[in-house]
Amino acid sequence: MLEARNLRKTFGELRATDDVSLQFGTTDGEMVFIVGPNGAGKTTLVNLLTGLLTPDQGSVVVHQDDGDGSTVEREITGLAPEKRVDAGLVRSFQIVHVFEEMTVRENLRVAVLSERGETLNVLSFDDGHDGVERTVDDLLAQFRLEDVADEVADTLPHGDRKLLDVAMSFGLEPTYLLLDEPTAGVATREKEYVIETIAEASDADDVTTVTIEHDMDIVKSYADRLVVLHEGRVFREGDPSLLETDGELRRVLLGVDE
Amino acid sequence: MFESLPYHALNGVYYGFILFMIAAGLTIVFGVLGVLNLAHGELYAFGAFVAFSIVGYLTGLVAEPTGPVTALIFGAVVLVGSLAAAAVLLPVGATLEAAFVRPIYDRDDVYQLLLTYALLLILTDVMKFVWGAKPLDVGVYDGLNAIPTTELFGIDYPTYNVVVVAVGLVVFGWLVWFFDRTKTGRIVRATAIDREMATAIGVSTDRIFTLVFAMGAFFAGFGGAMVSIGPGSAYLEMGLSPLVLSFVVIVIGGLGSLRGALVGALLVGVTTQVVTPYYSELELAVPFVLMVVVLLVRPEGLYGTWGEIE
Amino acid sequence: MSDPLLEVSNLTATVAGFEVTHGIDLEVGEGEAVALVGRNGAGKTSTFRSIMGLTPIAGGSIRFDGEELTDLRSELIPKRGIGYQPEGRDLFTGMTVEENFRLPIWTAGDARGIDDEDAVVEDVFDLFTELENRRDAEVQNLSGGQGKMTAIGRALALQPDLLILDEPLEGLAPVVVENLKSYIREIIDRDISVLVAESNASHVPEIVDRMYVIERGEIVDSGDPDDLVQDEEIQLLMQGGGT
Amino acid sequence: MTGRPSSSNDTGGIERRDALKLVGGSTLAVALAGCTALIGDESDDSTEDADVPDEPIEAGLQTFTEGAPAVLGLQAQYGAETAVRRINDDGGVAGREIDLDVVNEGDEHIQNYRQFVDEGKDVTFGPISSGGHEAMVPEIEDRGVVNVATDGTVTTLYEESFPDATYSFRFQNHDVMEALAAVNQAVEVLGADSIDTYAGINPNYAFGQDEMALFSSGIEKLTGAEEVYSGFPELGADDMSAHVTEVNGTEPDVVFSSCWGGDATLLLEQAHANGMFDSTDLLVGPVLYGSANDLSADLVDGPIYSGSRNFYWDEPGTDRWTPAADLVSEVQSEYDVVPTAHFMSGYGAVTAWATAAEKAVDVLGRWPEQDEIAAILEGHGFFTPAGYHTIGADHQGYSNAHFGELAWSDEYDAAILENVSVFAPKDVSPPPGTVSGDWIDAW
Amino acid sequence: MSRARLSAENLPTSVRVVLVVLGLGVLLAVPDLARVTPLSFATIHKGLLFGLAAVGLNLLLRHTELVSFGHVAFFGTGAYGAAVLATYYEVSSGLVLLAGAVLAATAVALVVGYLVAGHLDIYFALLTLAFNQVLFAFVVQSSFFNSTDGLSVRVGVDRPSLLGLDQLLVSAGLDPVQAYNYVLYYLTVAILVVVVLVTWKLVNSPFGRALDAIGQDRTRARFIGIPVERYVWIAFTISGIYGGIAGGLFALLQLHVRPEPVLFAFVSGEILFMAILGGVGTLVGPIVGGVILVYLLDLARFYVTYYHALTGIVLLAVVYFLPEGILGSLPALGAAIERRRRDPGLVRNDVETVVTSVRRSVRRAVTTVRILVFGVN
């Protein structure tokens, strides 16, 4: 379980995250969706959880299985992002972050090599690991990137770059996957597929996903749990059916007066 | 042992202002254009050589100073000559920018470095062609010092140093005024902050870049002229060490920051001059140690914000 | 109807060699307020940037006031009378609100025939009354709403014939949104043509006369905002559901 | 050691009669001295029958041709060119003309020498840089093409580092000579009893540090004076006011400075501007006169004495030493400068080699191999307009040292030296085979 | 920063094999080529050594996309490492001297690398420059390093021994100096080949890919679990080691080490320019760049008066006409020539392009003057 405890982050006068406490992965393979209007503090929260930002206050904790059935708390508030990856915490970005001059295959390969702890290896060739290549092939298939596997990332259409970004995250075999708008900019027909893939993978590997999403249809269909942020605070937390039932929530979220 | 300390500090202030004048141009160009101009030191040397010709010609027209009044006239002529020398750098800078630098703004940084290095080499030989290979000294230093200044206060501080400090302050003041108060200055700042948005309100960034590069060249040249009318002389490789020291100054002060350049220059100047007499062996290392310390403690420099002139 | 003020036809824009809009057609008439509505990433900003000459154009044409803009150097476009508020704010940080208003007059005032600089600036402050006492504040210290107003004000200071607003309401608190909407309506009342991008369709009917819907770089629909906002399919699209 | 300098009215340290014996009747020596009249028209034909190739001698000179050190380097080039011109005008070395290639030494001394050798040079000259010369010596020994250094006056070079050199020579005296001449000059001007304190401002590299160390040991030996300040501005400094200020603060009786080129002018300018001559009685500088053409009248005003190494153009007086008679006017019309000691560095280096080569042809009856010229250069004596020089068995030059008071001459539009003292080699440099430090300690 | 993908790697394998064989052949034939042509053997040798250092620098430049302005620090440390061993410890074995060079450079690179690894862009560049100059100032001031005069790399006057191979050649009748230089040259070539192979292996290994990742997107690299600073540190150290090897060999070549040529920061700039000149995106481009720039810097002065300008013009030409550096632009150049051979009409277009750009330049210059005379806007 991944836990945020009383997180607070301010930028100048702006309280981007204000006393946020949340738990993710309370059930195995849980899919949590974070929604909220622009500026609600969604991305800041993900940045705090993954170590891109350090909170002014509060802590980030993971609960880990210590092997004999009981769990131990491990505080990771000050841990560098790359160390959090070791703790199973992985993210993708709203603005695509991929290795622009590498091919799709190479991008995925780096991620998988990193996951396998091979990046310090200088004795083999980067493409010389059968196991890695099989995983990469699987990822390519899973994210429908086979056709563009040997294209250089910065020549790809936006949707494919987005898919690649998410695929890399999956290549890291995360326990907790934080996805910042994985479907933004993805072609509509592929949107379903991306989120379906995430859901399947989440199910299959018991990955807890925390996803920022604007598309309420997706949220409704896939969320196990919904977190609504508004002005830096947790505005609502609970079942996705809130989206249908909570008028105030609909107003905040959709800007729709009903 | 330390009774001379105030004098060393004063010497440091003078030296700092010299550094400031050179670094100011570099930091403006870097702040607005994002180009680290390795040829900046050659523009400085260019100014020194031009000053040799122009100031030499002008002072040839007036008599050597004999009393306070003629000394003042002499000083004024030298200053006007220095300004004229720096003004020669305006078209030089503008041409360099328009002809050579402009085509490669969208290229990788390293090619800009290589290009300005090539310009450095070519400028060196242009100077060699025009002024010859030997150092040249315009020889007005003594005449300048004939103007009584600090003697009035009982301090033995060469008038030239006073002039440099005063001119340095004027340069700083003018630059602050230019960037804070004039329309063009604020347009330049706007361009530095956001090139695209500047275009979207009608700024011709091409022209601004040309102007800024010309300005950078002007101040480099003015710094060179000030050195050349001082105790030093104009020589071909004179630009190397000031170039490297200017990097140090603008990094310490914060890239693109004018105030930073002034503070950085004074810091480097005073520290060097105070340390030198007691630990000669540190003279070369002081500025760099200072820079390492500042960068490790404050990676952004003392003032700086990237790409903004303030 | 006379010729439209702005006429974009068959516009294809590229970013890093990749097409981001495909054959966009849109028009803004003299004194008309038009919205371009679409989700994040649908191509609104790219279209606007193409008009401003900031994003390279692979094909098509942009005519403004009878003149072809596509061959024009980008800094001349504001001088022809197009004010632009970019997505985000892109204000000139380190400078005051007033300086941000004056800058466009200094650069393009002559071209726009502005004689009395101060009068124009005061005019903008008269519109955005709540900026009046923030006149000398440096723009990075403004609140979100004030920042947007400054960005719009800066575009207005050009005395433009056409004002392009890219998501002026985005990321603002509801109260501020209402406030800003009324300002925009006031601008429209001054007979300035407005082209505004929105990702939230619900605001649109209150502001504009006509709207285009953009999706994946193409205009998919256009018409009366009140009708379109009620349209099931458009709603679905805006919420990001499948077609 | 008496410390008693010989004055300019003496014969200049080396007896003329001994010198003339060594000329050996070679026309070349006379040509180089610039005065064919010296031995009338009694020409010596011995080299004409010798088995000597027709093609010209390819020679290379590396020297500083541009930038700050060009103040010295170009003088060396002018000197070498003048010597070559005179030799060629007089029929060359055993009938062979000299082709001189000049290249900027920069920081690439070894590389330059190698390139010269690869180009097939018969002999190379230069460099100015002392560090560069030190680096070159083993390379010269390896390649075996004789190099006569124009300058490069590191004291320890031939004393300690390369006592057994074969092909590498240096025309200039080692820097111990200049530092000790400065010591002697200071004592002569102020008197040993009046010198209680001294200070130094010297360029911050090996040469400056060595000179200061030598001056210190010398002056302390002779006067028991105490060092009150020693500063080392970096070479090519922008500013020396810190050091001048310290001198002002400590008020030494004598200031010693081995600054040269732009550093020398900078020092003098800042010394005047900061009133240093109110705080000290005397400035002695062994190479200040190297900047003779770059000084102005007001800069040489004051108690400033400068060395001029082994050549000052008015010494021996042209009335008594005709070979020097036309030199200044020739140099002025050709190069628009007055010659300085570094002119003689170039002139002398070329002359040393050319006279040795000619002597070798005389002896051998054919063109000599490199090692044969090298062997003759050891202990070789020859004339230049500066008088008589020898290359010691230790491969370094020995000649009289000159020191005088800086003054201004409107006639030459350059600085001149007045009251020139001439110090014989034996008074200011250790005998070959002795280490300078040990020698001074033994005073 | 974004760099175009390596064009040289798009060459067909057969072409590459031919090029490699050709390159090796030329390398091996240099001593003979120098004998029959006016080419300078020693300068080419020196150029190869600086090129070797540039290969190291390029490891950072190309893969982690960090610009180092202080690379000669390691070259110099290596050179001085060897010189100190020879001067003070009378080590005469060339291999031991080389080992000392590498050790010294490694130590310095470890320290400097640790301190600069977290910095980016110009801050990285100028920090490396600062450390370089501090080191230079230290050596220049230190009597242990014999300040500006530097240290000899000989024991007495004897050259170091090179595995006895030089002696072997001498006993075969070769001049000792020539024997030494030949053996050293082929040792250099051998080391160069090994280093290039090692680099090739390195950049194509998982570690190399991780470095690419760091260069292309630091944030992403961090978030796939790569400890960015540590890897930059390692890469920096490796690059320093290359510098050390090159410096050590340089010490063996020059046999005397002085601070200005091997430690002054401007030489760092030159090494950087060698890499760019030869082609940042290529493995051996920096070596080509090294030979060419060293040749220009050292020997142009022998042939022309305005040798700085000559060098400058060559560099300008490369910037404008060979945008990927000499080696990096070869494929594109070859393709362009090939196209023109098939369609000579293209040449007319080229001429037109040149004419247009000249005309544009003139117009720009006129505008420039107008700006100066009438002010902006």
Side-chain angles (χ1 to χ4, degrees), chain B residues 179-187 189-191 193-207 308, chain C residues 49 52 54 73-75 78-79 82 84-86 89-95 99 103-104 106-108 117 154 158:
Chain B
F179 284 114
D180 274 1
R181 293 277 170 270
T182 68
K183 292 179 185 180
T184 312
R186 284 182 277 187
I187 292 170
R189 266 166 74 204
T191 314
I193 293 161
D194 193 333
R195 271 179 218 186
E196 267 195 351
M197 200 50 223
T199 309
I201 60 164
V203 176
S204 161
T205 47
D206 279 358
R207 290 188 187 187
E308 291 179 26
Chain C
R49 288 173 54 86
M52 296 309 294
L54 301 174
R73 292 157 63 94
S74 50
E75 73 259 23
K79 294 183 180 177
I82 304 184
Y84 175 52
Q85 172 250 312
R89 312 190 305 203
D90 292 352
L91 294 172
F92 298 120
T93 49
M95 297 200 223
E99 283 175 314
L103 273 165
W106 296 337
T107 55
E117 177 185 329
R154 181 180 58 189
L158 272 174

Side-chain angles (χ1 to χ4, degrees), chain A residues 127-189:
Chain A
D127 57 358
H129 301 246
D130 287 344
V132 172
E133 293 310 297
R134 268 194 301 278
T135 311
V136 169
D137 286 337
D138 290 348
L139 287 166
L140 286 170
Q142 216 171 358
F143 286 86
R144 278 195 197 163
L145 292 166
E146 293 133 310
D147 291 348
V148 292
D150 295 317
E151 302 284 319
V152 178
D154 70 354
T155 62
L156 292 181
H158 183 71
D160 284 347
R161 285 156 55 84
K162 201 80 195 187
L163 281 170
L164 174 59
D165 195 330
V166 178
M168 284 170 79
S169 300
F170 264 90
L172 294 164
E173 301 190 358
T175 316
Y176 313 100
L177 181 56
L178 287 79
L179 300 161
D180 194 351
E181 302 202 32
T183 65
V186 175
T188 316
R189 66 191 153 75

Side-chain angles (χ1 to χ4, degrees), chain C residues 9-233:
Chain C
S9 44
N10 201 22
L11 176 73
T12 300
T14 56
V15 171
F18 178 67
E19 280 191 19
V20 287
T21 59
H22 326 283
I24 299 269
D25 289 308
L26 66 83
E27 291 179 5
V28 181
E30 200 96 42
E32 194 187 16
V34 176
L36 183 60
V37 176
R39 295 175 307 102
N40 283 339
K44 303 185 296 290
T45 300
S46 298
T47 304
F48 285 4
R49 288 173 54 86
S50 302
I51 296 172
M52 296 309 294
L54 301 174
T55 291
I57 295 166
S61 93
I62 302 165
R63 295 184 71 77
F64 179 74
D65 206 7
E67 183 188 10
E68 180 65 45
L69 294 188
T70 36
D71 298 332
L72 222 52
R73 292 157 63 94
S74 50
E75 73 259 23
L76 295 178
I77 291 168
K79 294 183 180 177
R80 295 294 190 271
I82 304 184
Y84 175 52
Q85 172 250 312
E87 193 186 15
R89 312 190 305 203
D90 292 352
L91 294 172
F92 298 120
T93 49
M95 297 200 223
T96 65
V97 174
E98 189 176 327
E99 283 175 314
N100 270 271
F101 290 168
R102 285 184 186 272
L103 273 165
I105 308 180
W106 296 337
T107 55
D110 287 346
R112 299 300 302 144
I114 298 173
D115 301 325
D116 191 344
E117 177 185 329
D118 291 340
V120 173
V121 171
E122 292 320 311
D123 202 38
V124 177
F125 277 118
D126 284 348
L127 177 69
F128 296 109
T129 41
E130 61 174 291
L131 287 179
E132 179 65 42
N133 59 356
R134 302 289 278 158
R135 184 185 276 271
D136 295 323
E138 293 195 354
V139 291
Q140 66 271 26
N141 300 325
L142 298 176
S143 72
Q146 290 168 337
K148 287 277 188 193
M149 289 174 207
T150 308
I152 299 170
R154 181 180 58 189
L156 264 185
L158 272 174
Q159 304 256 298
D161 300 324
L162 171 69
L163 189 60
I164 295 185
L165 306 175
D166 196 352
E167 308 238 18
L169 308 175
E170 186 197 23
L172 299 178
V175 183
V176 184
V177 167
E178 288 312 312
N179 210 351
L180 209 53
K181 273 195 255 181
S182 71
Y183 285 135
I184 296 172
R185 277 194 299 266
E186 211 171 312
I187 294 169
I188 295 166
D189 288 345
R190 293 181 175 192
D191 262 352
I192 296 172
S193 307
V194 170
L195 175 59
V196 54
E198 260 308 325
S199 52
N200 188 336
S202 62
H203 300 307
V204 174
E206 299 171 59
I207 309 174
V208 302
D209 318 324
R210 201 155 58 79
M211 77 179 244
Y212 293 90
V213 179
I214 184 169
E215 170 64 10
R216 289 159 61 190
E218 289 170 37
I219 301 289
V220 291
D221 210 341
S222 68
D224 185 282
D226 292 311
D227 300 343
L228 280 175
V229 168
Q230 297 306 317
D231 188 312
E232 277 284 318
E233 211 165 307

Side-chain angles (χ1 to χ4, degrees), chain D residues 62-343:
Chain D
Q62 57 171 316
T63 188
F64 290 113
T65 58
E66 63 182 54
V71 173
L72 309 185
L74 286 178
Q75 283 274 348
Q77 180 183 344
Y78 300 158
E81 283 172 0
T82 305
V84 166
R85 205 165 46 237
R86 288 184 168 191
I87 290 168
N88 290 347
D89 287 351
D90 201 61
V93 181
R96 293 181 72 182
E97 295 211 336
I98 299 179
D99 250 6
L100 183 69
D101 268 0
V102 181
V103 73
N104 186 18
E105 64 182 86
D107 263 332
E108 305 301 337
H109 304 90
I110 296 177
Q111 209 71 14
N112 292 340
Y113 175 76
R114 282 182 183 160
Q115 178 65 17
F116 276 150
V117 173
D118 288 349
E119 288 176 0
K121 296 282 184 269
D122 298 302
V123 60
T124 61
F125 304 105
I128 298 288
S129 158
S130 47
H133 185 209
E134 177 159 9
M136 277 168 68
V137 173
E139 185 67 24
I140 296 165
E141 295 304 308
D142 276 354
R143 293 296 189 111
V145 172
V146 168
N147 182 78
V148 184
T150 46
D151 207 325
T153 57
V154 185
T155 287
T156 52
L157 186 59
Y158 291 100
E159 291 177 354
E160 291 173 24
S161 308
F162 304 102
D164 300 321
T166 305
Y167 300 101
S168 174
F169 295 87
R170 177 171 68 199
F171 166 72
Q172 268 294 352
N173 305 27
H174 27 12
D175 48 11
V176 64
M177 173 197 87
E178 343 187 293
L180 293 183
V183 171
N184 284 323
Q185 184 69 45
V187 171
E188 183 177 289
V189 174
L190 295 179
D193 294 343
S194 320
I195 302 178
D196 298 323
T197 54
Y198 72 94
I201 300 178
N202 292 277
N204 197 5
Y205 73 117
F207 166 76
Q209 287 148 2
D210 287 353
E211 290 257 329
M212 184 62 196
L214 290 166
F215 181 82
S216 293
S217 25
I219 196 119
E220 285 174 19
K221 272 279 176 195
L222 288 194
T223 68
E226 177 200 356
E227 176 183 301
V228 287
Y229 177 70
S230 174
F232 292 96
E234 63 174 293
L235 186 63
D238 309 319
D239 186 74
M240 293 189 191
S241 47
H243 305 286
V244 173
T245 301
E246 277 299 306
V247 167
N248 288 345
T250 51
E251 303 202 338
D253 297 320
V254 182
V255 178
F256 173 77
S257 174
S258 57
C259 287
W260 52 266
D263 286 348
T265 28
L266 181 70
L267 173 72
L268 291 182
E269 299 225 26
Q270 294 202 315
H272 280 286
N274 291 279
M276 188 178 95
F277 295 108
D278 300 336
S279 310
T280 187
D281 296 332
L282 182 65
L283 168 66
V284 282
V287 266
L288 294 175
Y289 192 70
S291 311
N293 294 289
D294 302 295
L295 298 175
S296 56
D298 35 82
L299 284 188
V300 300
D301 187 27
I304 308 165
Y305 279 73
S306 172
S308 190
R309 294 202 163 169
N310 59 7
F311 167 60
Y312 178 66
W313 46 268
D314 200 27
E315 182 62 43
T318 44
D319 49 338
R320 291 175 294 121
W321 184 235
T322 43
D326 304 328
L327 188 69
V328 175
S329 54
E330 180 179 344
V331 173
Q332 278 207 310
S333 67
E334 190 78 29
Y335 305 110
D336 196 26
V337 292
V338 296
T340 65
H342 286 81
F343 177 90

Side-chain angles (χ1 to χ4, degrees), chain E residues 63-81:
Chain E
H63 299 283
T64 63
E65 301 202 359
L66 290 167
V67 178
S68 167
F69 256 153
H71 199 63
V72 86
F74 313 114
F75 190 89
T77 308
Y80 268 98

